[in-house]
Amino acid sequence: SGKGGVGKSTVAANLAIAATKFGAYALTGSAAMLTEAIHSVVDTGNQAFLLYGQSRAKRAPSESHPFGYGMELYFWAFIVALMIFALGGAVSVWEGIDRLAHPAPIERPWINFAVLGAAIAMESASFRVAWTEYRKIAGDAGFFLFLRGSKDPNLFAILLEDLAALAGLVIAFLGVLLSTLGWHAADGVASIGIGLLLIVVAVFLANETRSLIAGEAASPRVLARVKTALEDDPAVVSTAEILSLHLGPSEILFAITLDFDDALSGPEIEAAADRLTADIAALDERITRVFLRPGKAPAGGPAGLGMAAGA
């Protein structure tokens, strides 16, 4: 699970947890435990995909990809969403429905309680790390607003996976407990509940990564700072157009059209452009490319600011 960054040791740890859950299922026959085992396998695969996506995104620009490969991480995050939906959510719901049709008591439930209790403790620690990372980045932004505005799927996918994993474990624990107390159908109900939870997370992740793949602008906060820096410069009469695009979680491109003071000479405009380019790049370390060109504002005001929610 997550950590603000995916590591190989984390993938191995989750694979070990999955193996433990499969062992518990083999000994007890709990559908909820099988669902949790599948969830851990999917979680492990997701982190492996994100690791691979991070590696691909770090490649240097090439002739075929002059702006680099940062957006490739968005593609692999979308694959993660599909895996959660198909292998996590859909399979869990199917298993739960099958168990509802054939309810049976859970054998040796104490094994499930022990495994689920240990898993809850580990996932809680993992989620605490991810939550701390989120608080550092989000500041005063609300949780849902942060998820909608974040440009880094490595962070918000892991944060949601950790939250879903912890909630799923609690649901599985309750299912085993109720089944042990005599309501044998609770095991299947818990499996369906975990599956529906994963489907909701998958749909949200798919929608967010779809938007990133399509090309999202910088956040309103970053755009406002850039606009202020431009308008405060004495060489600029007005900002005709400010367009921005995230080339990856940590790379923002700006294409700006400015109405310079007509009294400036050619060399003075060039100097102003160089100064403004440096000033804009200094506003945020994620701003890696700035393109400026002189031009008048279109009738009716600025053509666009490329506004988007987020940080």
Side-chain angles (χ1 to χ4, degrees), residues 170-250:
V170 172
I171 293 173
F173 192 94
L174 291 175
V176 173
L177 176 62
L178 292 174
S179 180
T180 303
L181 293 176
W183 184 32
H184 301 316
D187 192 34
V189 171
S191 183
I192 293 174
I194 295 169
L196 293 177
L197 171 67
L198 293 177
I199 287 174
V200 170
V201 170
V203 170
F204 180 86
L205 286 178
N207 184 61
E208 290 304 304
T209 51
R210 173 204 55 79
S211 181
L212 290 168
I213 290 172
E216 282 194 5
S219 70
R221 181 170 59 86
V222 174
L223 286 166
R225 293 175 65 190
V226 170
K227 191 171 188 292
T228 298
L230 294 170
E231 293 179 343
D232 287 347
D233 193 282
V236 177
V237 175
S238 65
T239 54
E241 188 175 56
I242 304 177
L243 301 177
S244 63
L245 175 67
H246 263 269
L247 301 173
S250 58

Side-chain angles (χ1 to χ4, degrees), residues 56 60 83 102 112 120 178 309:
R56 298 275 299 177
M83 285 185 59
H102 308 91
N112 286 333
I120 288 174
L178 292 174

Side-chain angles (χ1 to χ4, degrees), residues 14-26 30-44 87-88 91-92 115-116 168-169 172 194 198:
N14 273 308
L15 196 58
I17 292 173
T20 302
K21 290 177 179 178
F22 273 119
Y25 162 71
S30 168
M33 182 58 72
L34 175 60
T35 295
E36 273 302 305
I38 294 172
H39 185 181
S40 291
V41 171
V42 173
D43 194 20
T44 303
L87 300 182
V91 171
S92 297
V115 172
L116 289 172
L169 287 167
I194 295 169
L198 293 177

Side-chain angles (χ1 to χ4, degrees), residues 38-192:
I38 294 172
H39 185 181
S40 291
V41 171
V42 173
D43 194 20
T44 303
N46 291 344
Q47 292 174 3
F49 275 124
L50 288 175
L51 269 175
Y52 183 67
Q54 289 176 43
S55 175
R56 298 275 299 177
K58 290 177 181 178
R59 290 179 296 164
S62 64
E63 185 176 344
S64 61
H65 292 78
F67 293 116
Y69 295 83
M71 295 184 74
E72 189 163 337
L73 179 59
Y74 299 153
F75 167 78
W76 291 106
F78 188 77
I79 296 299
V80 164
L82 295 181
M83 285 185 59
I84 293 175
F85 182 90
L87 300 182
V91 171
S92 297
V93 170
W94 179 84
E95 176 63 27
I97 292 174
D98 181 69
R99 180 50 59 95
L100 282 180
H102 308 91
I106 296 175
E107 300 177 8
R108 295 184 286 273
W110 64 269
I111 296 177
N112 286 333
F113 289 131
V115 172
L116 289 172
I120 288 174
M122 288 185 285
E123 287 293 351
S124 296
S126 178
F127 180 70
R128 190 179 302 113
V129 174
W131 183 263
T132 300
E133 186 72 16
Y134 146 70
R135 293 307 312 170
K136 288 180 182 177
I137 298 173
D140 296 330
F143 181 68
F144 186 71
L145 182 61
F146 167 78
L147 293 178
R148 291 298 308 273
S150 176
K151 315 299 182 181
D152 187 356
N154 182 52
L155 177 58
F156 68 70
I158 287 175
L159 186 62
L160 279 178
E161 280 188 359
D162 277 358
L163 183 59
L166 190 56
L169 287 167
V170 172
I171 293 173
F173 192 94
L174 291 175
V176 173
L177 176 62
L178 292 174
S179 180
T180 303
L181 293 176
W183 184 32
H184 301 316
D187 192 34
V189 171
S191 183
I192 293 174

